[in-house]
Amino acid sequence: MRALRILLVIVVVLGGIFVAVDRAAVYFAESEAAGRIRITGATIGSTDVSIKGFPFLTQVAGGRFDEVDVEITGIETATNGRRLRISRMDAALHDVKLADDYSSATAARATGTAVISYKDLTEAASDGVAVEYGGNNKVKVTGTVDMLGRPISRSVLSTVTLVDGHTLRVHADKVPGAGVPGLEGMVRQKTDFDREIGGLPSGLKLQRIQPTADGLEISVTGADVQLAG
């Protein structure tokens, strides 16, 4: 009995050491991965990586992870001279296979959400235009136009749609004072705009866009998603 108790103690101690080593290894790997993520054609602010599953060391040995959660803050691209910044993107990557040299990884599938704040959307809009939440899945766009030498400010409720899977379109439902000759066109030149959304990892696709109180939420999905190191 005494020998059995000693054996059990040894097993428990070794098990604790293994868990501690495994957790230390995953923490180190997460930190390394977060610092090495790159997105072609975009700059990024910060990244956070969480590797799921236990034990971690056996997953490394097999060159494959069950799930890796990634949060990227501040993905910024510029199209036609206009900057568009994705404030934050959270993605769950499933069945992630490591390259032989551990320099990159490919996820068999992915789901996530990207958020564009109204501050960032305002900076991507035309000069002198402000964008905020308008309620009921709409955005409120305010711009100033020059009418006969007088500045006229107009606010409109606009619908936001996703065009061709990669372009954000803001279009006013209607323009106040549309009966005034030339006014609607002048207002729409300010309030209506298209902006291409770039800077996503290869393989991720935009699915649906919806205005919320916190910003534009964009659902993303993907297959064979590439993460360059």
Side-chain angles (χ1 to χ4, degrees):
M1 288 296 293
R2 183 171 180 274
L4 180 58
R5 283 195 294 270
I6 293 173
L7 179 60
L8 289 174
V9 169
I10 293 173
V11 170
V12 170
V13 170
L14 290 178
I17 292 173
F18 175 78
V19 170
V21 170
D22 190 81
R23 293 301 87 191
V26 73
Y27 177 79
F28 175 78
E30 289 170 346
S31 299
E32 284 292 305
R36 295 177 61 183
I37 290 179
R38 301 288 183 272
I39 299 177
T40 303
T43 61
I44 58 178
S46 63
T47 58
D48 185 72
V49 175
S50 178
I51 301 173
K52 306 299 183 181
F54 179 83
F56 165 75
L57 293 173
T58 58
Q59 294 186 84
V60 172
R64 189 183 297 269
F65 298 120
D66 296 333
E67 179 181 341
V68 177
D69 293 346
V70 178
E71 179 181 306
I72 304 176
T73 301
I75 304 173
E76 187 174 322
T77 59
T79 304
N80 298 325
R82 303 300 304 196
R83 182 184 73 93
L84 180 60
R85 182 177 183 269
I86 298 175
S87 311
R88 188 187 74 253
M89 185 186 73
D90 300 303
L93 311 176
H94 302 275
D95 193 13
V96 180
K97 183 179 181 181
L98 300 173
D100 291 340
D101 60 356
Y102 301 100
S103 63
S104 62
T106 302
R109 63 189 188 282
T111 58
T113 302
V115 176
I116 299 176
S117 72
Y118 293 116
K119 176 183 177 182
D120 286 325
L121 187 58
T122 292
E123 293 196 14
S126 302
D127 294 337
V129 169
V131 186
E132 58 188 312
Y133 185 52
N136 297 319
N137 296 321
K138 303 288 184 179
V139 296
K140 180 182 177 182
V141 185
T142 302
T144 301
V145 299
D146 186 277
M147 191 69 177
L148 300 177
R150 294 180 57 190
I152 299 176
S153 179
R154 287 289 184 268
S155 294
V156 297
L157 287 178
S158 301
T159 298
V160 183
T161 55
L162 199 59
V163 181
D164 298 330
H166 57 76
T167 300
L168 177 157
R169 173 167 293 171
V170 178
H171 184 79
D173 296 346
K174 61 180 181 179
V175 176
V180 179
L183 180 59
E184 179 174 1
M186 294 176 65
V187 173
R188 287 194 180 276
Q189 282 184 351
K190 282 283 188 178
T191 61
D192 293 3
F193 58 92
D194 290 3
R195 294 291 182 267
E196 185 173 350
I197 303 174
L200 295 177
S202 175
L204 277 182
K205 299 183 183 300
L206 307 176
Q207 293 293 320
R208 184 177 61 87
I209 190 167
Q210 179 178 352
T212 72
D214 296 325
L216 299 182
E217 287 192 358
I218 308 169
S219 300
V220 297
T221 61
D224 295 327
V225 177
Q226 304 290 322
L227 290 178

